[in-house]
Amino acid sequence: VIVVAPQLGGNNYGIRVTCPGESEAAYAIKGIWQVDEEGLARFNKRDAEVLVHEFCHSFANRVIDANIRELREPAEALYAHVAFDMAMQSYGRPDIMLYESLVRALVIRYLREYSTSEYAEMIQNIEMNLNGFLWMRELVALFEAFESGRAAYPDLESFGQGCVGLRRHG
């Protein structure tokens, strides 16, 4: 479900809601930061990327949450090196850095499929060089492995469990 929320300005959110009866809904909540001369919302190509990003949170955050015990220590060590860059984006905790890392890697994979490889590479470089996600190239490559191994990993949760299992065993 896409929700356009003018009151959010430049902020955006992705959430998953479990409704009575166990049904789930994924929401991409999109703020509006551009309007035309009549005050009507203006959207561009990047806004579609933002929607993909926010929808990814509905699936990716739960993978991080399910594996946070195993991820906490390495995330804290990594966060110490990029804390300033993360804080400048309002990512004030290691778990938020993990959410954003996973989502950004998924968006880059999406862009490689539905945009040009040059554009996807440009976004990947922005994430690495301007936003502080220095590990993005390796994380994107990991998701290439996920995509080619869908028989063993039918969904993101099973892939996350497999990766954490590999870390536990060496």
Side-chain angles (χ1 to χ4, degrees), residues 1-161:
V1 176
I2 297 172
V3 177
V4 177
Q7 72 278 18
L8 292 180
N11 297 308
N12 307 285
Y13 301 93
I15 60 171
R16 180 184 291 246
V17 176
T18 302
C19 304
E22 304 281 331
S23 66
E24 290 185 326
Y27 289 85
I29 303 170
K30 175 78 180 77
I32 296 175
W33 57 78
Q34 294 178 340
V35 294
D36 64 17
E37 58 278 348
E38 296 175 14
L40 299 174
R42 291 187 54 215
F43 299 104
N44 60 39
K45 177 182 175 181
R46 291 294 314 256
D47 290 308
E49 265 174 69
V50 169
L51 288 175
V52 171
H53 177 106
E54 298 307 338
F55 273 123
C56 283
H57 274 295
S58 297
F59 303 95
N61 289 14
R62 67 187 342 182
V63 172
I64 299 300
D65 291 341
N67 296 288
I68 196 64
R69 277 190 14 217
E70 293 86 358
L71 295 170
R72 182 170 282 116
E73 186 178 329
E76 288 172 354
L78 182 59
Y79 189 83
H81 295 283
V82 294
F84 179 80
D85 288 330
M86 295 298 131
M88 293 303 295
Q89 299 167 86
S90 298
Y91 306 147
R93 300 188 325 251
D95 60 325
I96 297 172
M97 175 193 69
L98 292 175
Y99 297 148
E100 291 298 325
S101 295
L102 183 52
V103 164
R104 289 160 193 259
L106 294 170
V107 168
I108 291 166
R109 291 301 302 147
Y110 173 87
L111 291 173
R112 287 195 177 159
E113 182 71 25
Y114 296 104
S115 186
T116 65
S117 58
E118 294 83 11
Y119 184 75
E121 186 69 22
M122 180 190 78
I123 296 300
Q124 180 172 287
N125 287 332
I126 288 171
E127 297 299 1
M128 292 169 56
N129 300 320
L130 298 179
N131 294 337
F133 293 92
L134 307 174
W135 49 89
M136 196 52 52
R137 188 172 313 283
E138 293 80 6
L139 190 55
V140 169
L142 186 63
F143 282 102
E144 290 172 6
F146 165 64
E147 291 172 16
S148 64
R150 293 302 298 270
Y153 305 110
D155 56 31
L156 198 53
E157 285 89 353
S158 64
F159 186 69
Q161 291 166 352

